[in-house]
Amino acid sequence: KATAKEKIQPLIDELQSKTNKTENDYQIIMWTYKLMGDKDAAEKLKKEIIKEFPNGNESKNEKLNAFYSEKDVKKKEELLNTILKTYPAKTENEKKQFNYYYSDLASTAANNNDWAMFKKYTARVKDKESLAGSYNNLAWKLAGEGLDGKPTDLKIAKDLSSKSLEYMKSSMENHVNKPVFYTDKEYKSNLAFSYGM
């Protein structure tokens, strides 16, 4: 820890001296500052990156952070539309990310009792396994979050809970969504745990 700064400084200097720095070069410097605990330098560099690369990854991350933290459904939808328009999916992995965006927007809609918006965005989620967790969390909330809580809508809670179990059971029988970093055994174990939840 005592010598980390002097050891990493040559890398920072080398990247800083490049004439045609890429966004990745800037980000490596920013992350290095963060790792060293220099939050001010990291934040300053982050602003530079967003200014230099307005449609780059760092700018996208900022927009996504704003999207995920927004609680107003209409504003959240506007933020998502801007993100999808500015950063169209180029890879299969980026297309899969849309499932998380739609699922998050649907959850926010449900938390605001906007069931029309909820249905609109859950219908867009292709990976139903990712919806199962959201459905389960919503059902738990609507059911009163425990035996001592006050339920707000048991009918919707029951429907959502049933769907979450249906989606998890389907995933347990068909492993098409298994991430490459899991073994079959790990994936089955995770699904069994999620089904139990």
Side-chain angles (χ1 to χ4, degrees):
K1 197 168 184 179
T3 60
K5 192 168 184 179
E6 65 185 62
K7 286 179 180 173
I8 202 70
Q9 196 60 49
L11 171 67
I12 294 172
D13 294 341
E14 180 188 336
L15 290 171
Q16 288 283 30
S17 66
K18 283 178 76 172
T19 49
N20 293 319
K21 285 191 279 296
T22 64
E23 182 180 15
N24 191 50
D25 292 332
Y26 279 106
Q27 285 179 308
I28 290 170
I29 299 167
M30 180 188 71
W31 293 327
T32 304
Y33 282 142
K34 282 183 181 179
L35 286 170
M36 292 191 312
D38 192 343
K39 292 179 183 174
D40 291 338
E43 196 56 38
K44 183 180 174 192
L45 198 53
K46 183 177 171 180
K47 288 176 182 170
E48 282 181 43
I49 295 169
I50 291 170
K51 186 178 178 184
E52 186 74 22
F53 304 94
N55 291 330
N57 289 326
E58 203 58 44
S59 181
K60 181 180 181 181
N61 289 340
E62 280 289 287
K63 288 179 174 73
L64 283 171
N65 287 338
F67 165 76
Y68 282 121
S69 60
E70 182 57 60
K71 301 295 180 218
D72 181 275
V73 182
K74 293 291 181 193
K75 288 179 186 173
K76 195 175 189 87
E77 185 178 42
E78 287 170 16
L79 288 168
L80 180 60
N81 288 335
T82 300
I83 291 166
L84 298 180
K85 187 178 177 184
T86 311
Y87 308 98
K90 295 174 185 163
T91 66
E92 205 53 44
N93 195 41
E94 288 176 351
K95 286 178 188 172
K96 286 180 181 179
Q97 290 296 317
F98 288 5
N99 288 309
Y100 300 110
Y101 306 157
Y102 297 147
S103 183
D104 187 77
L105 184 48
S107 291
T108 302
N111 288 331
N112 285 278
N113 293 317
D114 188 338
W115 299 107
M117 186 78 84
F118 174 78
K119 286 178 182 174
K120 175 181 175 181
Y121 282 97
T122 53
R124 293 183 184 186
V125 178
K126 304 272 189 279
D127 176 7
K128 299 303 180 188
E129 187 182 313
S130 71
L131 264 186
S134 296
Y135 279 6
N136 186 54
N137 291 338
L138 289 168
W140 175 252
K141 186 177 178 186
L142 292 167
E145 299 183 13
L147 295 175
D148 297 328
K150 281 193 154 199
T152 53
D153 196 323
L154 288 175
K155 185 187 181 315
I156 293 177
K158 182 182 176 190
D159 290 345
L160 292 173
S161 183
S162 296
K163 280 183 183 168
S164 76
L165 290 170
E166 177 190 322
Y167 293 155
M168 288 310 301
K169 198 167 189 179
S170 174
S171 291
M172 291 167 83
E173 293 166 1
N174 185 359
H175 295 174
V176 292
N177 293 318
K178 182 182 87 63
V180 292
F181 49 83
Y182 280 134
T183 64
D184 284 340
K185 187 177 177 182
E186 287 172 326
Y187 188 59
K188 282 181 187 175
S189 175
N190 284 354
L191 289 175
F193 179 79
S194 295
Y195 187 81
M197 288 285 287

